[in-house]
Amino acid sequence: MSQPMIALPATDPTPIVTRFAPSPTGLLHVGNVRTALVCWLAARASGGRFLLRLDDTDTERGSAEFAAAIEQDLLWLGLGWDGFSRQSDRTGRYQAALDRLKQSGRLYPCYETAEELELKRKSLLARGLPPLYDRAALALTDADRARLEAEGHRPHWRFRMADGPVEWQDKVRGRVHFEGRDISDPVLVREDGRALYHIGSVVDDAEMGITLVVRGEDHVANTAMHIQLAEALGAVPPSYAHTSLIADAEGHGLSKRLGSLSLRSLRGEGIEPMAVASLLAKLGTSDPIEPRLSLDQLAAEFDFAKFSRTTPRFDPAELQRLNSRILHETPYAAVRDRLAALGLGAVDEAAWAVLRPNLQRLDDAAGWWRVVTGPVGPVVADAALLEAAAAVLPPEPWGDATWGEWTAAVRDRTGIKGKPLFLTLRLALTGLDHGPELRGLLPLIGRERVAARLAGRAA
């Protein structure tokens, strides 16, 4: 009698052990990043563990560059892992599991070609029947199989589903029920001998002690099969959470629109990692989407009970708004090194407080700092007003009160007030009709540059 691979508790333990298992065949996009984030938050909220496992057995499409990019993108987002593995290092474990399934009669060889299977599928559909594999290969004798292989046919191997019910209590969908007889026997091994995703996923989840699997709702039927596969190997399946798939702002699926929504592209556009996390953590939940400055905040608010089965929409405009709001709340200590990397080492805490309310992206700070340091070509909308303003320009040192005191003096001298006064001064001092509050900007610009700009000179 074969020994069980592992025996996990029948109910989810606390803390949770979960994993993110991407295939390194492309860049991470917002759909699979959301899965990684939900896994990470679930683990952290329970004081558990988050594992990164690269499903790198697809040597035709996978690459070391994509694998490295996945790790870099997760770290940029702040999703560090507590354990790391590659499925390419564990193929021996999968073969051992496949051998056990063969010995127990749950894995059987099939010899139909892809064309023959397609004809069977179309025939069933034409008769209004579900396209289930007919298990014709089970009727083959040893002599039949020997003849087929002598003719050059190489078998693919299918897992035989048991006919009974398959049920689980999904953390998002609630009670889920399938009948094994309604699920086509899945292929676990291709004709070339390569084991497919299913066997590696189930074996790794069991042997690594995974207690929760988070995946998209398009994998629900796969989960029913994975549960039977785990049980056939003597393992107790983990708990499952199937989240709704993300749509775009118009409600369309993202599958053909992912090129511009990779994490790498968002990073290149100057999106802050916490803007991505703040949006993806709340999509499809009852919580409002608000900026959060740390993943710890999101973990403290995390609860699967808040997830809905409705299709959430990913709106890049909403991400941009979150990005701005996060920058407006970000403390100086969190950006000091990044500002220095942008050549803005002279921007201190006081300057950051003035500049940040006007930032859409962090590198916008460079443009506003040029307004401070110049040279700025002033816009002279009212030369007489600027001459009067220069005449009452107070001596330094300047502080927060200087702007109010100076404009009051200009108003008293000229009788001009409100927008005509403030806009004329802004155009002269910054060359723009918008920007940071002049109360904070004025001391940064300094009296010498202010005087020159009031006189119409670039400074």
Side-chain angles (χ1 to χ4, degrees):
M1 183 175 180
S2 61
Q3 294 298 311
M5 185 179 304
I6 192 168
L8 299 180
T11 57
D12 285 343
T14 300
I16 285 170
V17 181
T18 189
R19 53 47 167 195
F20 179 52
S23 178
T25 55
L27 296 173
L28 292 182
H29 57 72
V30 294
N32 44 41
V33 167
R34 179 184 181 230
T35 298
L37 180 62
V38 170
C39 287
W40 193 95
L41 293 174
R44 292 295 180 264
S46 72
R49 301 178 70 235
F50 169 76
L51 309 182
L52 174 60
R53 189 173 76 213
L54 292 181
D55 180 2
D56 61 346
T57 56
D58 186 346
T59 56
E60 296 171 358
R61 297 186 302 144
S63 72
E65 290 74 19
F66 283 137
I70 287 171
E71 294 183 45
Q72 293 163 7
D73 286 348
L74 290 176
L75 291 174
W76 174 75
L77 198 59
L79 305 184
W81 46 89
D82 304 302
F84 175 83
S85 63
R86 295 183 179 88
Q87 290 193 323
S88 58
D89 295 332
R90 294 176 48 79
T91 54
R93 298 301 303 151
Y94 312 146
Q95 188 57 54
L98 291 168
D99 289 343
R100 292 177 58 201
L101 293 172
K102 291 176 184 178
Q103 292 166 10
S104 66
R106 295 297 293 274
L107 193 66
Y108 61 98
C110 304
Y111 295 86
E112 295 93 345
T113 64
E115 292 77 13
E116 290 170 338
L117 291 172
E118 181 63 14
L119 286 174
K120 287 185 177 185
R121 190 186 73 86
K122 289 182 177 179
S123 175
L124 290 168
L125 291 173
R127 291 151 52 197
L129 299 173
L132 302 179
Y133 177 61
D134 60 9
R135 294 179 172 172
L138 288 175
L140 295 175
T141 65
D142 289 344
D144 292 331
R145 288 190 286 271
R147 175 180 53 79
L148 288 167
E149 292 186 18
E151 293 172 356
H153 294 278
R154 301 184 65 184
H156 58 273
W157 293 77
R158 291 181 181 268
F159 175 67
R160 183 170 181 171
M161 293 291 294
D163 288 344
V166 184
E167 293 185 353
W168 71 93
Q169 190 65 28
D170 197 279
K171 290 185 174 294
V172 175
R173 301 173 67 85
R175 178 179 174 271
V176 181
H177 175 94
F178 281 87
E179 289 293 334
R181 62 177 174 270
D182 296 331
I183 300 174
S184 192
D185 291 348
V187 175
L188 298 191
V189 184
R190 301 195 320 185
E191 289 85 349
D192 60 5
R194 181 182 301 172
L196 296 183
Y197 148 78
H198 306 290
I199 187 67
S201 180
V202 170
V203 169
D204 286 348
D205 287 345
E207 294 191 347
M208 295 177 182
I210 301 301
T211 63
L212 172 67
V213 171
V214 179
R215 52 176 50 143
E217 62 184 0
D218 54 333
H219 285 282
V220 171
N222 279 343
T223 293
M225 181 266 287
H226 285 188
I227 288 174
Q228 280 209 7
L229 183 53
E231 293 172 343
L233 292 168
V236 176
S239 298
Y240 292 92
H242 291 85
T243 57
S244 299
L245 301 181
I246 298 175
D248 66 14
E250 287 74 42
H252 304 299
L254 291 178
S255 59
K256 296 182 180 179
R257 300 169 173 82
L258 294 176
S260 63
L261 293 179
S262 71
L263 206 61
R264 187 58 53 92
S265 69
L266 295 177
R267 182 179 181 179
E269 292 169 12
I271 300 298
E272 297 293 306
M274 281 311 302
V276 177
S278 295
L279 179 56
L280 293 181
K282 302 301 183 179
L283 274 185
T285 78
S286 57
D287 282 344
I289 296 174
E290 298 287 347
R292 295 290 183 266
L293 297 185
S294 76
L295 291 171
D296 288 342
Q297 287 179 279
L298 292 174
E301 299 165 355
F302 182 83
D303 190 341
F304 276 114
K306 298 177 180 180
F307 280 75
S308 166
R309 292 182 59 179
T310 58
T311 300
R313 298 189 179 190
F314 181 91
D315 186 350
E318 187 167 34
L319 182 63
Q320 294 285 354
R321 289 191 292 270
L322 275 174
N323 201 64
S324 300
R325 294 179 63 187
I326 283 173
L327 284 171
H328 300 170
E329 298 176 17
T330 298
Y332 175 67
V335 295
R336 178 175 50 227
D337 293 344
R338 294 173 63 195
L339 289 170
L342 291 171
L344 302 177
V347 175
D348 59 13
E349 188 164 5
W352 172 248
V354 173
L355 300 182
R356 70 180 182 179
N358 284 81
L359 303 181
Q360 303 296 313
R361 308 181 313 179
L362 183 67
D363 58 9
D364 290 342
W368 291 120
W369 192 240
R370 283 193 294 273
V371 168
V372 170
T373 59
V376 166
V379 175
V380 178
D382 186 333
L385 174 58
L386 297 182
E387 183 179 355
V392 294
L393 192 64
E396 291 180 315
W398 286 356
D400 283 347
T402 302
W403 170 255
E405 294 168 353
W406 178 43
T407 53
V410 176
R411 181 193 62 215
D412 292 344
R413 187 180 184 94
T414 65
I416 299 173
K417 59 184 178 179
K419 185 176 180 180
L421 171 61
F422 301 137
L423 181 57
T424 299
L425 292 177
R426 178 177 288 281
L427 289 169
L429 299 181
T430 70
L432 301 167
D433 61 2
H434 66 284
E437 288 189 18
L438 285 169
R439 181 185 60 154
L441 208 56
L442 193 70
L444 297 178
I445 297 173
R447 194 180 193 283
E448 181 178 349
R449 281 189 290 264
V450 168
R453 294 174 190 180
L454 290 174
R457 301 194 303 273

